[in-house]
Amino acid sequence: NIKGHPVRYVCYDIMKFVTCCLYSVRSRRRVSNVNLVCDPGQREKALFDFEWADPLLLNFKLTSVCACPGGCLTPPVTCSMKDSCTCDMSDGTGEINLHPLDNPWAPFRASHLVPDVGRNFTYFYNPCSGFTFAHTPCTNVSSCQVDTEATPQIFYPLGHVAPASEAVTDEEGNVVLKYTGGDDGRQFDVTLICDAAQHVPEFTTMGEVTRHYYKMTLKTRCACPGLCNDDPVARKERYLKWRASHPD
């Protein structure tokens, strides 16, 4: 009980990535619900957000590593950045090196449909050295969101070239790079998915999951600790693909 009021707990899973718990504190006037959202990357500071309300109900969201089962009982596995795209795993498994994927003349590209707007946005990402789209706000950035259906097209810088100095791991064990410094407070995460057979990287995006916060994934053998010092196969495949789309 909280000050004599009953507390009700309900736990469930969402898409196997997020565990939520719901509790209610009843007063004579209204009910307050707090959804506990598991985020292994949210270790230093919990995020508390108001979601919605009606006359007798208030809904909030608390995002924290402590919402993950056992999340606050064990030390986190991190990856300390050595430069903008190389880091050392704290569990001793080795170094993650994305330098072979650095490609400022042809950054990774993915699209995401926003149903509420009814249009696609295109996202570009390049680790290590960033990239520049001439005569646009996306100059020396790690990622750029482009509204390609607008006339003229609108460019939104999403973050600095270098991520945070220490990368975290999610509950699946994937390293998550966090980037800040985008236009109007924009920031984004890139989840690195280790696949030793993935010579040609696969880049995807979930788009803008909350206001000015974006999520992306990069599936590649270079996300595997100690595996990728250089990857000429990936470089050649990407170069041939780029040449095929730029015959001139």
Side-chain angles (χ1 to χ4, degrees):
N1 290 345
I2 298 180
K3 294 184 178 180
H5 299 295
V7 179
R8 178 170 56 90
Y9 291 88
V10 180
C11 298
Y12 51 93
D13 292 330
I14 298 178
M15 297 174 62
K16 84 177 181 180
F17 293 110
V18 180
T19 301
C20 294
C21 298
L22 175 70
Y23 72 83
S24 302
V25 181
R26 293 187 178 277
S27 68
R28 290 177 296 177
R29 294 185 177 181
R30 63 180 59 185
V31 176
S32 296
N33 292 334
V34 179
N35 294 309
L36 302 183
V37 181
C38 166
D39 184 352
Q42 204 65 47
R43 181 170 292 270
E44 294 185 2
K45 182 180 179 182
L47 298 179
F48 186 68
D49 299 304
F50 172 75
E51 291 190 303
W52 57 272
D54 63 28
L56 296 178
L57 180 64
L58 292 172
N59 275 273
F60 303 91
K61 180 173 68 173
L62 182 65
T63 305
S64 171
V65 65
C66 294
C68 308
C72 283
L73 301 179
T74 58
V77 176
T78 60
C79 200
S80 298
M81 303 303 298
K82 299 171 65 176
D83 56 32
S84 61
C85 61
T86 307
C87 65
D88 282 324
M89 298 294 294
S90 63
D91 60 2
T93 52
E95 176 187 88
I96 291 179
N97 190 336
L98 301 182
H99 278 287
L101 308 183
D102 187 19
N103 221 342
W105 42 264
F108 294 115
R109 174 177 179 167
S111 295
H112 182 263
L113 175 66
V114 181
D116 294 344
V117 181
R119 62 205 299 172
N120 279 293
F121 288 84
T122 301
Y123 294 83
F124 297 86
Y125 170 68
N126 185 55
C128 303
S129 64
F131 62 94
T132 294
F133 289 148
H135 312 298
T136 77
C138 288
T139 301
N140 195 29
V141 296
S142 54
S143 182
C144 183
Q145 178 194 33
V146 183
D147 185 350
T148 56
E149 298 183 19
T151 305
Q153 294 182 351
I154 304 175
F155 294 76
Y156 301 99
L158 298 187
H160 296 309
V161 171
S165 60
E166 189 170 70
V168 298
T169 53
D170 63 16
E171 60 185 7
E172 300 294 316
N174 302 310
V175 170
V176 181
L177 303 179
K178 293 183 171 291
Y179 294 82
T180 59
D183 180 57
D184 196 22
R186 287 174 169 82
Q187 56 185 308
F188 71 99
D189 294 350
V190 176
T191 300
L192 303 179
I193 301 176
C194 165
D195 185 340
Q198 195 77 35
H199 285 270
V200 179
E202 179 182 308
F203 176 64
T204 58
T205 179
M206 295 174 61
E208 188 174 8
V209 293
T210 59
R211 177 174 168 77
H212 291 177
Y213 173 54
Y214 306 80
K215 284 191 174 184
M216 308 170 192
T217 62
L218 182 60
K219 184 178 181 181
T220 169
R221 71 190 308 267
C222 291
C224 305
L227 187 58
C228 195
N229 294 321
D230 198 2
D231 196 345
V233 175
R235 282 177 176 251
K236 182 177 180 180
E237 290 289 343
R238 294 194 66 208
Y239 176 74
L240 293 176
K241 184 177 180 180
W242 179 78
R243 288 300 302 169
S245 60
H246 297 77
D248 297 330

